[in-house]
Amino acid sequence: MNDQRPVTILLVEDDPGHAVLIEKNLRRAGIENGIVSVGDGQRAMDFLFSEGAFAVDRLPPLLVLLDLNLPVLDGYQVLKAIKSDSRTKHVPVIILTTTDNPQEVGRCYELGCNAYVTKPVEYDRFSTAIKTIGEFLTIIKVPAKS
Amino acid sequence: MNERTSRLLMGIALIASLAFEWSDVILAFIGVLLFEGVTNWRVPVVLSRLRAGGTPQGRGSVRDVATRIPFDVERALRLIIGGLLLLSAVVLRDALWFFPWFIGFALTIAGITGVCPMALALKKLGFRSEDPGAEPHELTRTWQESIAVKITAVVVYAVVLVAFVITVISLWEGERRMRGEYAERADHLAYALATDLHGRARSAGGAGPFSLDDHARQYGFSAATVGTPAEGVRIGTPGPNDVAVTRLVAREGRDAGMQETVAVTLFHRPLAEQFRSRRATVVLWTGGAALLFGLFLTWVILKFIARPIHGLVAATQAVAAGNLAVRVEIGRADEFGILARFFNRMLDQVVQELTERKRTEEELRRSEEQLQAILDSIHAGIMLIDPATHEIEYVNAFAASLIGAPKAAIVGRVCHRFVCPSQQGRCPITDRCETVDNSERVLLTAQGERIAVVKSVVSIPYKGTTRLIESFINISDRKRAEENLERYAAELRESNEELKSFVYSAAHDLRAPLVNIRGFAGELAASLRQVDGLCTAPELTAEARETLLPILRRDVPAAVDFIDSSVKRVDTLINAMLKLSRIGHRTLHPEPVDLADLVPGLLQSFGHQMAQENVTVTCGSLPAVVADRAAMEQILGNLLDNAVKYLNRGSAGRVEISAERTETETIVTVRDNGRGISGDDMTKLFKMFRRLGVQDVPGEGMGLAYVKALVRRQGGRIWCESEPGKGSAFAFTIPHEFRQDGPSVAAGRER
């Protein structure tokens, strides 16, 4: 996190329990970045593209952790919106979902996701996975737009 | 001049030549020539005159005149001339001699025309008389034309002629000899007288007349005179026409040794008179013989020629009339027998040949019938087409029924009227040189319907040219079945895909709460370990307490809450799946459901909600369908519920229910003017646990999944058309023919 403006993690997760568990594990992994958690796709879009405080050109460097099954607008729609908009297409998106359907995996990569991670049901593995993501996050470089 | 007349005249001439003097013969011949000349000259003249004067209209009457009147005239002439000839004979000659002459004449005529009885017999046998209107097959036109009659006539003519020649010669010879005989007798008598008178004195004349009388009678003289008629001795009286023969007889004179000559005159009847009676006798005999001979000859010819000929002719006539069973009786070994045998054999052969031909024809006919029956029973259309004109020359029953017109209405039409209608006159065979072999084509029926067929066309040689044989089978059923199968397969694929995606999403949906349960259980365990660590310390420091309290008061209850809600979630999911499964398993009871009754009842249950939301519902005319009543209630209830639930807040809601009957199904549409559904969401519309759009109303995301399952179980389809912000239209079909678990597999049914 050498960037002047630290990377903010946008966690898009409809299940509040999942959101809590993910955040907990990220923190345990030593991630101290800001985490913005939203419960549905529409809110994520609002965060990403709305004017005002979260206006696109004023967004901090972002990394999105995206679930697929979301109410109102689902993960695909959000992913598509991010990757098709020139202002946000550089934002790394990690799909974090319970589904491991190969079709969906393929589809997400087609739409431009950067990584696809399945939530394991077993909690130890779940923790490990999230921690790994956290460790990963500590080393990757995220493009800063401005 | 006809034959009979000429024969008659010939007879008259012959009789005349015998009956009278030679001058009469010349007279008779002049009569014959005259008669012949008159009739021969007259008939053509009369005919030509009548023909020339005849009009086309009067042609019939002209012919009548030409054939009838001239013959009457001829008969009259014949009678007159014959009568005149006879009259002249009677007048000119001694009437007394006429009768035997006439009888002989009649007999001769009868003999000569001895063919007359035969003519009658032939007429009886079938020779017709002079009938101008008779049929040509009725043998000869007149009896005289019969060959039998002609042969008989010729033979009789010849015999009678020869007989007459012999008679004439013998009579002539007899007359000559009789003439010499009288001279001889006179000589004998003179000698006898000379002998008697020898040595007798002249005075002894008493014995002289006695002797003369004896001798004169002995030698057949009627009278005799010795010496001069004035002073001599006369015996008998001579007739007025008697002929005298004089002989000189020497006798002893009055003086011994003196010779004197005495004239003896002998009288006898004229020789002509004697011959006349003799001729009459001869004519009588000849006439009788000619008659008998003619009759005999007639009989012979009738028996040996006319009857066999007639038999053959009758048989031929019968054959000509079509009776082939007739046979000529063979009782003879002569030429007619041979002819009859060959005739019979020929008939046998003809009958055999005809039978053979009939059999062949029968076989041909049968084989043709067989072929026809086969062609008509084949379940394939067959046509024979002339490639030059494209005319249909033959069509079998199947093709006719497929086209939907009688054979007669199809034969003679051009082929592209029914087959290859899409090519319209451009024949694939003759114009494009293509081959048509088992290729799929379209057949146009007489009613204008198009039927899919598989067709083959072959070219065959036919009566020196070529013909096209088109054979085709109706594949519209197969086509339909294929289409159905295709649809079923597509539906099955779709359903399979849905099932797969259902399994994935179910797995996902079940896994999500499990992640929570395991996660919070793990967290709980971690918290407990922490609590344990803090509690097992020798003393509970304030710092430890500060750590402990949020764990016990915040983390642990939160974890327990998460676990609890997740378990509830799992339970909800399982229940929803079970419900879906129950929908899949429940036996549907099809019954007539009148939607016009059903819908108002449903609307009533939404009454309160509708009034609150200010919704107006309009119903089109709704038909009755055959469906499961509960399922229909559920389907329509869910759709109406959704329509009311997802209306645009603030604007007046409108829901419209309408239905449309097609040939195979009823389409029911529920249309609203609500918020609509975006294109992206359409794919998730009927999925389990998916709720789309703004989640401002409660719901578990199962309604449309149930609806889809229920529609499909009844063999229907469901789809949605929507425009975000303007409204949605959900339409589903119910087939007229109820198909429980039709081709479509209801979502969840497989589980």
Side-chain angles (χ1 to χ4, degrees):
Chain A
M1 304 297 125
N2 301 323
D3 202 285
Q4 290 177 330
R5 298 179 70 191
V7 172
T8 303
I9 294 167
L10 174 64
L11 175 62
V12 190
E13 177 59 69
D14 66 326
D15 192 316
H18 286 205
V20 169
L21 291 173
I22 289 163
E23 200 176 338
K24 266 194 175 168
N25 283 289
L26 282 175
R27 294 290 178 223
R28 276 188 200 128
I31 301 294
E32 288 166 5
N33 304 47
I35 295 175
V36 178
S37 183
V38 290
D40 65 53
Q42 189 57 53
R43 281 165 202 271
M45 297 291 277
D46 290 344
F47 176 82
L48 285 165
F49 298 105
S50 295
E51 300 293 320
F54 291 124
V56 179
D57 48 354
R58 297 175 62 185
L59 277 179
L62 270 178
L63 185 141
V64 182
L65 285 177
L66 187 62
D67 191 6
L68 288 177
N69 293 309
L70 301 167
V72 192
L73 288 176
D74 65 18
Y76 302 107
Q77 287 165 310
V78 175
L79 176 62
K80 202 171 163 185
I82 293 170
K83 290 300 176 185
S84 56
D85 193 305
S86 58
R87 296 167 299 180
T88 52
K89 68 180 176 191
H90 60 275
V91 174
V93 178
I94 295 169
I95 304 292
L96 189 59
T97 184
T98 45
T99 319
D100 55 0
N101 184 349
Q103 276 182 338
E104 295 191 0
V105 177
R107 192 171 155 207
C108 287
Y109 278 108
E110 266 169 35
L111 288 172
C113 84
N114 302 83
Y116 190 105
V117 179
T118 310
K119 297 173 191 165
V121 178
E122 228 168 297
Y123 191 56
D124 288 346
R125 289 179 55 213
F126 181 89
S127 301
T128 313
I130 301 300
K131 278 177 194 156
T132 312
I133 290 170
E135 283 159 11
F136 177 65
L137 289 180
T138 58
I139 57 166
I140 63 163
K141 277 286 184 192
V142 173
K145 205 185 153 220
S146 42
Chain B
M1 183 172 205
N2 68 28
E3 207 178 335
R4 195 162 18 171
T5 315
S6 66
R7 252 199 334 268
L8 194 73
L9 292 171
M10 189 81 81
I12 290 167
L14 283 167
I15 299 306
S17 72
L18 289 169
F20 309 112
E21 298 302 319
W22 293 110
S23 60
D24 297 333
V25 176
I26 296 161
L27 188 71
F29 271 114
I30 290 168
V32 169
L33 288 173
L34 196 70
F35 184 82
E36 292 255 357
V38 166
T39 49
N40 275 341
W41 164 81
R42 183 192 49 78
V43 173
V45 167
V46 171
L47 280 175
S48 64
R49 195 183 302 158
L50 280 165
R51 283 208 182 106
T55 57
Q57 292 92 335
R59 199 162 176 85
S61 62
V62 167
R63 203 167 60 184
D64 280 354
V65 171
T67 53
R68 223 171 274 159
I69 296 176
F71 279 97
D72 287 346
V73 171
E74 191 182 299
R75 263 176 219 146
L77 279 173
R78 202 166 60 210
L79 280 171
I80 290 164
I81 292 170
L84 282 175
L85 285 170
L86 282 172
L87 205 65
S88 66
V90 172
V91 170
L92 287 171
R93 300 294 163 186
D94 197 337
L96 289 173
W97 292 110
F98 171 71
F99 293 105
W101 174 83
F102 181 74
I103 292 164
F105 165 77
L107 287 175
T108 311
I109 293 299
I112 288 170
T113 56
V115 288
C116 282
M118 179 160 76
L120 289 171
L122 287 173
K123 203 168 167 185
K124 219 190 242 173
L125 285 173
F127 289 90
R128 64 192 178 82
S129 59
E130 293 175 35
D131 179 6
E135 293 295 313
H137 63 79
E138 287 182 31
L139 307 179
T140 58
R141 201 169 60 80
T142 60
W143 64 268
Q144 293 103 318
E145 283 170 6
S146 163
I147 187 85
V149 173
K150 282 178 176 153
I151 291 169
T152 317
V154 167
V155 172
V156 173
Y157 278 152
V159 168
V160 170
L161 194 67
V162 169
F164 272 125
V165 167
I166 291 167
T167 312
V168 166
I169 291 169
S170 66
L171 281 174
W172 180 71
E173 182 63 27
E175 192 177 343
R176 198 179 57 83
R177 272 171 52 194
M178 198 183 267
R179 223 179 275 278
E181 208 176 293
Y182 270 108
E184 216 171 284
R185 276 191 219 162
D187 290 344
H188 277 279
L189 197 138
Y191 178 71
L193 272 180
T195 310
D196 285 352
L197 294 176
H198 186 71
R200 285 194 193 175
R202 198 181 167 193
S203 52
F210 177 75
S211 157
L212 180 65
D213 192 32
D214 283 352
H215 288 301
R217 291 185 198 283
Q218 186 188 343
Y219 285 107
F221 292 101
S222 57
T225 54
V226 180
T228 57
E231 56 173 292
V233 181
R234 201 179 68 166
I235 299 153
T237 312
N241 298 324
D242 282 0
V243 178
V245 180
T246 306
R247 289 287 183 272
L248 293 176
V249 179
R251 69 170 189 184
E252 295 279 327
R254 282 180 189 162
D255 303 317
M258 282 272 295
Q259 294 278 317
E260 61 177 1
T261 307
V262 181
V264 179
T265 306
L266 297 161
F267 295 90
H268 62 86
R269 279 180 28 233
L271 285 176
E273 214 167 274
Q274 288 185 32
F275 274 111
R276 192 173 292 162
S277 68
R278 204 185 286 182
R279 278 175 196 158
T281 314
V282 166
V283 166
L284 211 60
W285 278 107
T286 315
L291 178 67
L292 283 175
F293 185 68
L295 286 171
F296 172 71
L297 209 57
T298 300
W299 175 78
V300 166
I301 288 179
L302 260 184
K303 182 169 169 59
F304 294 102
I305 299 176
R307 282 226 179 87
I309 287 182
H310 180 264
L312 279 168
V313 165
T316 315
Q317 207 169 356
V319 170
N323 178 10
L324 292 174
V326 77
R327 290 290 179 279
V328 181
E329 209 177 301
I330 311 166
R332 322 178 35 165
D334 60 6
E335 286 85 342
F336 284 114
I338 294 167
L339 189 61
R341 206 157 43 241
F342 280 117
F343 182 82
N344 286 351
R345 202 180 296 170
M346 185 185 80
L347 271 182
D348 287 345
Q349 214 158 343
V350 166
V351 166
Q352 193 184 337
E353 227 159 85
L354 276 180
T355 316
E356 182 72 17
R357 191 187 295 175
K358 214 177 236 180
R359 202 173 54 79
T360 317
E361 271 171 14
E362 178 67 22
E363 260 170 33
L364 197 67
R365 198 177 56 76
R366 212 180 27 237
S367 104
E368 209 157 276
E369 270 173 13
Q370 233 166 26
L371 187 67
Q372 194 60 41
I374 290 169
L375 284 173
D376 278 345
S377 63
I378 285 175
H379 272 257
I382 291 172
M383 275 185 182
L384 189 68
I385 289 163
D386 181 354
T389 60
H390 294 115
E391 264 178 26
I392 297 166
E393 291 185 341
Y394 170 80
V395 63
N396 75 341
F398 184 84
S401 76
L402 201 60
I403 287 169
K407 283 182 180 181
I410 300 168
V411 171
R413 306 282 299 270
V414 286
C415 56
H416 49 257
R417 163 67 184 80
F418 302 113
V419 289
C420 326
S422 52
Q423 267 91 11
Q424 279 309 334
R426 303 257 312 143
C427 179
I429 309 288
T430 59
D431 298 338
R432 297 179 181 174
C433 302
E434 292 173 2
T435 53
V436 177
D437 187 22
N438 268 331
S439 70
E440 280 191 21
R441 303 266 162 165
V442 171
L443 182 136
L444 188 65
T445 68
Q447 289 75 35
E449 198 188 331
R450 281 168 178 270
I451 294 176
V453 293
V454 164
K455 192 170 85 173
S456 291
V457 182
V458 288
S459 182
I460 56 155
Y462 180 82
K463 290 181 185 168
T465 59
T466 55
R467 288 291 183 278
L468 301 177
I469 289 189
E470 303 225 4
S471 55
F472 45 87
I473 52 167
N474 182 1
I475 57 159
S476 52
D477 286 346
R478 199 174 87 191
K479 225 31 188 179
R480 221 172 0 249
E482 272 173 16
E483 277 165 17
N484 274 346
L485 209 62
E486 194 75 24
R487 208 176 64 230
Y488 295 165
E491 278 173 17
L492 206 60
R493 267 199 301 278
E494 193 190 333
S495 164
N496 210 26
E497 281 307 310
E498 276 173 16
L499 189 65
K500 264 198 226 165
S501 104
F502 166 79
V503 171
Y504 274 116
S505 59
H508 171 91
D509 289 337
L510 281 170
R511 198 182 270 171
L514 288 182
V515 167
N516 275 342
I517 293 165
R518 294 292 294 263
F520 285 103
E523 287 297 322
L524 209 54
S527 296
L528 287 174
R529 276 198 299 277
Q530 214 175 342
V531 169
D532 184 49
L534 290 169
C535 290
T536 48
E539 58 186 88
L540 194 65
T541 61
E543 197 186 343
R545 192 189 302 269
E546 262 180 43
T547 317
L548 194 60
L549 275 176
I551 292 171
L552 288 175
R553 289 188 182 160
R554 194 191 65 206
D555 292 357
V556 172
V560 170
D561 277 354
F562 274 120
I563 289 169
D564 186 48
S565 69
S566 293
V567 168
K568 271 185 193 153
R569 175 85 184 130
V570 170
D571 187 43
T572 309
L573 287 170
I574 288 169
N575 281 339
M577 282 196 272
L578 279 173
K579 191 176 174 188
L580 201 60
S581 171
R582 271 199 298 279
I583 287 173
H585 278 120
R586 187 168 75 83
T587 308
L588 301 178
H589 300 286
E591 57 178 307
V593 178
D594 194 350
L595 297 180
D597 288 342
L598 186 86
V599 172
L602 283 171
L603 290 174
Q604 227 165 11
S605 60
F606 289 105
H608 174 70
Q609 201 181 348
M610 282 178 186
Q612 216 170 23
E613 304 276 351
N614 190 21
V615 179
T616 48
V617 178
T618 52
C619 286
S621 77
L622 299 174
V625 294
V626 175
D628 183 88
R629 182 174 291 276
M632 288 306 287
E633 275 174 3
Q634 225 170 334
I635 292 164
L636 281 165
N638 264 305
L639 291 179
L640 285 169
D641 185 42
N642 279 356
V644 173
K645 225 189 235 176
Y646 299 105
L647 282 169
N648 275 326
R649 297 281 168 268
S651 66
R654 275 202 321 278
V655 176
E656 183 193 323
I657 304 163
S658 60
E660 184 193 338
R661 273 178 77 90
T662 69
E663 209 173 301
T664 55
E665 56 197 9
T666 305
I667 305 171
V668 184
T669 309
V670 178
R671 192 182 300 276
D672 63 55
N673 65 340
R675 49 182 87 161
I677 301 149
S678 73
D680 283 332
D681 289 342
M682 278 295 182
T683 52
K684 294 178 286 186
L685 196 57
F686 297 102
K687 288 189 174 168
M688 282 205 315
F689 311 119
R690 290 293 174 274
R691 304 189 63 219
L692 312 171
V694 183
Q695 303 299 307
D696 55 351
V697 283
E700 57 175 354
M702 286 299 288
L704 285 175
Y706 295 148
V707 167
K708 185 172 185 178
L710 287 167
V711 168
R712 285 203 162 184
R713 280 215 61 200
Q714 299 186 88
R717 293 165 288 129
I718 183 161
W719 67 94
C720 172
E721 288 163 10
S722 181
E723 202 176 326
K726 296 238 173 115
S728 312
F730 283 87
F732 66 93
T733 64
I734 296 294
H736 297 328
E737 204 179 318
F738 184 81
R739 291 179 298 175
Q740 176 150 325
D741 297 335
S744 312
V745 178
R749 170 83 176 77
E750 304 268 304
R751 301 304 294 163

